[in-house]
């Protein structure tokens, strides 16, 4: 029975790891991809807006 207790933790971790990978793969694309792309585009637009400073304020 020692071999069962030795193999159980790696087997459980492998099952959870496969589950996490499946969730990651399933969440890519579709409506989620459009939401993520929109969020990234908005963040980039905010950064670009913050970088553009008025050129007439040189001291």
């Amino acid at each position: 029975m020692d071999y069962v207790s030795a193999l159980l933790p790696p087997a459980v971790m492998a099952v959870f790891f496969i589950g996490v990978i499946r969730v990651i793969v399933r969440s890519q694309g579709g409506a989620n991809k459009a939401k993520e792309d929109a969020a990234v585009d908005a963040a980039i637009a905010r950064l670009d807006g913050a970088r553009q400073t008025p050129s007439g304020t040189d001291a």
Side-chain angles (χ1 to χ4, degrees):
M1 289 303 289
D2 288 337
Y3 63 90
V4 174
S5 62
L7 291 177
L8 187 61
V12 171
M13 287 190 299
V15 168
F16 281 122
F17 181 73
I18 290 170
V20 168
I21 297 300
R22 289 184 63 171
V23 167
I24 291 171
V25 169
R26 284 185 180 184
S27 67
Q28 301 300 312
N32 292 332
K33 182 172 177 21
K35 290 178 189 176
E36 291 171 1
D37 289 346
V40 170
D41 290 342
I44 290 173
R46 274 185 268 139
L47 286 174
D48 287 343
R51 285 184 186 164
Q52 296 175 356
T53 57
S55 60
T57 59
D58 291 340

XYZ file of all heavy atoms in Angstrom:
425
model
N 0.810 -1.203 0.000
C 0.000 0.000 0.000
C 0.852 1.264 0.000
O 0.331 2.346 -0.216
C -0.922 0.001 1.224
C -2.048 -1.017 1.151
S -3.104 -0.859 -0.292
C -3.963 0.625 0.083
N 2.134 1.134 0.267
C 2.994 2.317 0.256
C 3.070 2.933 -1.130
O 3.187 4.139 -1.271
C 4.397 1.972 0.739
C 4.453 1.703 2.235
O 3.538 2.198 2.933
O 5.381 1.014 2.678
N 3.015 2.092 -2.166
C 3.106 2.631 -3.527
C 1.880 3.473 -3.871
O 1.973 4.433 -4.624
C 3.308 1.511 -4.547
C 2.171 0.515 -4.632
C 1.113 0.723 -5.501
C 2.167 -0.635 -3.851
C 0.064 -0.172 -5.595
C 1.128 -1.542 -3.925
C 0.081 -1.304 -4.803
O -0.943 -2.193 -4.881
N 0.719 3.152 -3.301
C -0.482 3.951 -3.553
C -0.336 5.327 -2.925
O -0.609 6.349 -3.562
C -1.741 3.240 -3.009
C -2.960 4.137 -3.132
C -1.967 1.927 -3.744
N 0.136 5.403 -1.698
C 0.316 6.689 -1.046
C 1.448 7.483 -1.690
O 1.458 8.711 -1.630
C 0.577 6.497 0.448
O 1.780 5.769 0.647
N 2.386 6.818 -2.316
C 3.473 7.517 -3.002
C 3.025 8.065 -4.357
O 3.512 9.106 -4.800
C 4.660 6.582 -3.192
N 2.115 7.380 -5.017
C 1.677 7.808 -6.353
C 0.471 8.733 -6.333
O 0.205 9.422 -7.314
C 1.355 6.583 -7.209
C 2.551 5.726 -7.604
C 2.085 4.511 -8.373
C 3.551 6.516 -8.422
N -0.270 8.764 -5.243
C -1.489 9.563 -5.201
C -1.233 11.071 -5.351
O -1.882 11.712 -6.186
C -2.273 9.265 -3.927
C -3.648 9.920 -3.855
C -4.530 9.434 -4.988
C -4.290 9.635 -2.509
N -0.327 11.687 -4.601
C -0.123 13.141 -4.762
C 0.284 13.562 -6.176
O -0.286 14.506 -6.729
C 0.967 13.471 -3.738
C 0.842 12.403 -2.714
C 0.441 11.175 -3.470
N 1.237 12.884 -6.834
C 1.555 13.284 -8.215
C 0.383 13.088 -9.177
O 0.184 13.895 -10.089
C 2.725 12.384 -8.610
C 3.315 11.919 -7.340
C 2.191 11.880 -6.346
N -0.397 12.043 -8.957
C -1.549 11.804 -9.828
C -2.586 12.908 -9.659
O -3.150 13.415 -10.634
C -2.153 10.439 -9.540
N -2.840 13.321 -8.415
C -3.804 14.390 -8.152
C -3.307 15.704 -8.753
O -4.065 16.445 -9.378
C -4.056 14.527 -6.635
C -4.869 15.770 -6.323
C -4.761 13.284 -6.119
N -2.022 15.995 -8.587
C -1.468 17.219 -9.159
C -1.555 17.202 -10.680
O -1.830 18.225 -11.308
C -0.024 17.414 -8.703
C 0.095 17.829 -7.255
S 1.735 18.344 -6.761
C 2.693 16.887 -7.068
N -1.322 16.056 -11.289
C -1.406 15.949 -12.745
C -2.830 16.209 -13.223
O -3.041 16.906 -14.222
C -0.937 14.568 -13.197
N -3.816 15.693 -12.514
C -5.213 15.911 -12.893
C -5.567 17.392 -12.792
O -6.173 17.966 -13.701
C -6.151 15.051 -12.017
C -7.597 15.475 -12.188
C -5.972 13.580 -12.351
N -5.160 18.038 -11.699
C -5.436 19.471 -11.546
C -4.694 20.297 -12.596
O -5.231 21.257 -13.140
C -5.078 19.955 -10.142
C -6.114 19.607 -9.121
C -5.788 18.850 -8.019
C -7.427 20.037 -9.265
C -6.745 18.518 -7.072
C -8.395 19.719 -8.326
C -8.053 18.959 -7.226
N -3.463 19.919 -12.909
C -2.686 20.632 -13.919
C -3.365 20.538 -15.283
O -3.494 21.530 -15.996
C -1.268 20.065 -13.990
C -0.397 20.760 -14.985
C 0.089 22.032 -14.732
C -0.061 20.157 -16.186
C 0.893 22.678 -15.639
C 0.736 20.790 -17.092
C 1.219 22.058 -16.828
N -3.827 19.359 -15.645
C -4.532 19.177 -16.923
C -5.804 20.013 -16.927
O -6.146 20.641 -17.932
C -4.826 17.679 -17.162
C -3.512 16.942 -17.442
C -5.813 17.489 -18.310
C -3.637 15.440 -17.456
N -6.503 20.061 -15.807
C -7.715 20.887 -15.715
C -7.414 22.360 -15.909
O -8.146 23.066 -16.608
N -6.342 22.850 -15.308
C -5.968 24.259 -15.466
C -5.622 24.562 -16.914
O -6.044 25.585 -17.465
C -4.791 24.599 -14.526
C -4.185 25.945 -14.872
C -5.248 24.582 -13.091
N -4.864 23.691 -17.539
C -4.503 23.893 -18.950
C -5.757 23.910 -19.818
O -5.879 24.736 -20.731
C -3.520 22.801 -19.423
C -2.208 22.899 -18.640
C -3.273 22.895 -20.919
C -1.489 24.214 -18.784
N -6.706 23.031 -19.548
C -7.946 23.012 -20.339
C -8.723 24.305 -20.181
O -9.267 24.828 -21.149
C -8.815 21.817 -19.936
C -8.223 20.501 -20.415
C -9.128 19.363 -20.109
N -10.378 19.543 -20.852
C -11.323 18.636 -20.934
N -11.176 17.493 -20.322
N -12.416 18.883 -21.609
N -8.793 24.836 -18.961
C -9.499 26.095 -18.736
C -8.811 27.227 -19.485
O -9.469 28.063 -20.113
C -9.582 26.403 -17.220
C -10.020 27.835 -16.978
C -10.528 25.433 -16.550
N -7.485 27.261 -19.459
C -6.746 28.309 -20.170
C -7.003 28.223 -21.669
O -7.251 29.230 -22.322
C -5.241 28.209 -19.848
C -4.994 28.593 -18.397
C -4.424 29.079 -20.793
C -3.581 28.326 -17.928
N -6.951 27.034 -22.211
C -7.151 26.864 -23.656
C -8.579 27.218 -24.044
O -8.806 27.880 -25.061
C -6.797 25.421 -24.079
C -7.242 25.143 -25.496
C -5.304 25.187 -23.932
N -9.550 26.824 -23.239
C -10.952 27.117 -23.573
C -11.274 28.593 -23.478
O -12.170 29.086 -24.160
C -11.882 26.347 -22.648
C -11.987 24.895 -22.997
C -13.018 24.229 -22.129
N -13.132 22.814 -22.453
C -14.003 22.015 -21.903
N -14.850 22.467 -21.007
N -14.049 20.755 -22.251
N -10.571 29.326 -22.627
C -10.877 30.745 -22.449
C -10.246 31.611 -23.540
O -10.490 32.814 -23.581
C -10.420 31.222 -21.073
O -9.020 31.200 -20.997
N -9.456 31.031 -24.408
C -8.845 31.788 -25.489
C -9.795 31.807 -26.684
O -10.356 30.792 -27.052
C -7.521 31.149 -25.920
C -6.522 31.050 -24.810
C -6.149 32.394 -24.241
O -5.851 33.311 -24.976
N -6.173 32.499 -22.933
N -9.959 32.967 -27.264
C -10.812 33.074 -28.446
C -12.254 33.370 -28.100
O -12.645 33.459 -26.944
N -13.067 33.567 -29.129
C -14.487 33.816 -28.931
C -14.769 35.173 -28.316
O -14.064 36.142 -28.550
N -15.827 35.240 -27.523
C -16.233 36.493 -26.892
C -15.177 36.972 -25.906
O -14.956 38.173 -25.762
C -17.565 36.306 -26.184
N -14.509 36.048 -25.236
C -13.462 36.443 -24.287
C -12.318 37.149 -24.998
O -11.747 38.099 -24.479
C -12.924 35.225 -23.537
C -13.930 34.630 -22.593
O -14.793 35.330 -22.093
N -13.835 33.348 -22.348
N -11.979 36.687 -26.195
C -10.889 37.316 -26.943
C -11.254 38.745 -27.303
O -10.420 39.649 -27.197
C -10.573 36.516 -28.200
C -9.414 37.080 -29.002
C -9.033 36.142 -30.113
C -7.943 36.631 -31.010
N -7.058 37.640 -30.532
N -12.485 38.976 -27.699
C -12.906 40.331 -28.041
C -12.849 41.250 -26.821
O -12.407 42.398 -26.924
C -14.321 40.304 -28.618
N -13.254 40.745 -25.668
C -13.197 41.545 -24.442
C -11.762 41.870 -24.065
O -11.441 42.997 -23.695
C -13.863 40.798 -23.285
C -15.357 40.684 -23.391
C -15.891 39.889 -22.213
C -17.351 39.567 -22.373
N -17.837 38.710 -21.282
N -10.883 40.873 -24.159
C -9.483 41.089 -23.803
C -8.833 42.062 -24.781
O -8.066 42.934 -24.362
C -8.735 39.767 -23.797
C -9.150 38.845 -22.668
C -8.562 37.455 -22.790
O -7.815 37.215 -23.752
O -8.849 36.624 -21.923
N -9.121 41.917 -26.062
C -8.550 42.827 -27.059
C -9.029 44.250 -26.824
O -8.252 45.205 -26.946
C -8.918 42.375 -28.470
C -8.185 41.101 -28.888
O -7.214 40.731 -28.189
O -8.579 40.497 -29.892
N -10.292 44.417 -26.476
C -10.825 45.758 -26.207
C -10.159 46.364 -24.974
O -9.829 47.556 -24.963
C -12.333 45.690 -26.026
N -9.932 45.562 -23.948
C -9.281 46.065 -22.735
C -7.847 46.479 -23.023
O -7.379 47.518 -22.549
C -9.323 45.004 -21.643
N -7.138 45.693 -23.812
C -5.756 46.032 -24.166
C -5.721 47.280 -25.024
O -4.877 48.169 -24.814
C -5.079 44.841 -24.879
C -3.739 45.247 -25.474
C -4.899 43.684 -23.918
N -6.616 47.388 -25.986
C -6.667 48.584 -26.833
C -6.956 49.829 -26.012
O -6.366 50.896 -26.237
C -7.717 48.422 -27.933
C -7.298 47.393 -28.980
O -6.093 47.074 -29.053
O -8.189 46.913 -29.708
N -7.847 49.725 -25.035
C -8.162 50.871 -24.183
C -6.963 51.269 -23.333
O -6.670 52.460 -23.166
C -9.357 50.546 -23.294
N -6.237 50.287 -22.809
C -5.055 50.587 -21.990
C -3.975 51.249 -22.829
O -3.330 52.206 -22.386
C -4.532 49.305 -21.357
N -3.785 50.771 -24.050
C -2.780 51.372 -24.937
C -3.180 52.792 -25.301
O -2.342 53.701 -25.336
C -2.584 50.497 -26.200
C -1.889 49.191 -25.807
C -1.777 51.235 -27.252
C -1.799 48.182 -26.920
N -4.462 53.028 -25.540
C -4.931 54.376 -25.873
C -4.701 55.324 -24.694
O -4.293 56.480 -24.891
C -6.403 54.335 -26.244
N -4.931 54.832 -23.462
C -4.681 55.677 -22.283
C -3.202 56.006 -22.150
O -2.832 57.140 -21.848
C -5.161 54.975 -21.020
C -6.631 55.211 -20.747
C -7.048 54.614 -19.425
N -7.515 53.253 -19.742
C -7.266 52.176 -19.034
N -6.561 52.252 -17.943
N -7.725 51.006 -19.400
N -2.336 55.030 -22.404
C -0.899 55.288 -22.317
C -0.450 56.269 -23.390
O 0.366 57.154 -23.130
C -0.116 53.978 -22.451
C -0.157 53.058 -21.242
C 0.537 51.741 -21.556
C 0.500 53.721 -20.045
N -0.963 56.117 -24.590
C -0.612 57.041 -25.668
C -1.089 58.445 -25.353
O -0.396 59.424 -25.621
C -1.201 56.575 -26.999
C -0.461 55.363 -27.560
O 0.672 55.098 -27.104
O -1.027 54.700 -28.443
N -2.268 58.571 -24.765
C -2.795 59.880 -24.389
C -1.971 60.528 -23.291
O -1.779 61.741 -23.276
N -1.479 59.733 -22.377
C -0.675 60.267 -21.282
C 0.710 60.686 -21.754
O 1.305 61.622 -21.225
C -0.543 59.236 -20.176
N 1.231 60.046 -22.774
C 2.574 60.360 -23.286
C 2.576 61.658 -24.077
O 3.592 62.333 -24.170
C 3.074 59.242 -24.173
C 3.503 58.037 -23.404
C 4.079 57.000 -24.315
N 4.367 55.777 -23.601
C 4.595 54.631 -24.183
N 4.559 54.540 -25.484
N 4.856 53.569 -23.468
N 1.458 62.002 -24.679
C 1.396 63.214 -25.508
C 1.217 64.417 -24.595
O 0.137 64.651 -24.071
C 0.263 63.117 -26.509
C 0.438 62.013 -27.521
C -0.760 61.859 -28.436
O -1.759 62.529 -28.263
N -0.634 60.967 -29.394
N 2.288 65.158 -24.402
C 2.216 66.349 -23.571
C 2.187 67.567 -24.478
O 2.729 67.552 -25.587
C 3.433 66.443 -22.638
O 4.618 66.431 -23.443
C 3.451 65.276 -21.677
N 1.581 68.652 -24.053
C 1.544 69.859 -24.865
C 2.957 70.395 -25.095
O 3.746 70.497 -24.164
C 0.717 70.855 -24.048
C 0.155 70.098 -22.894
C 0.840 68.785 -22.823
N 3.269 70.716 -26.344
C 4.627 71.158 -26.667
C 4.835 72.642 -26.381
O 5.954 73.119 -26.386
C 4.938 70.859 -28.139
O 4.013 71.547 -28.962
N 3.795 73.401 -26.102
C 3.908 74.826 -25.850
C 4.252 75.157 -24.413
O 4.345 76.321 -24.049
N 4.479 74.168 -23.560
C 4.738 74.453 -22.143
C 6.223 74.357 -21.801
O 6.587 74.155 -20.665
C 3.949 73.483 -21.251
O 4.354 72.137 -21.576
C 2.459 73.648 -21.436
N 7.117 74.473 -22.775
C 8.545 74.426 -22.489
C 8.956 75.657 -21.700
O 8.592 76.778 -22.017
C 9.351 74.359 -23.780
C 9.162 73.019 -24.487
O 8.739 72.071 -23.817
O 9.433 72.959 -25.701
N 9.783 75.487 -20.661
C 10.191 76.622 -19.818
C 11.524 77.160 -20.206
O 12.409 76.599 -20.649
C 10.214 76.209 -18.358
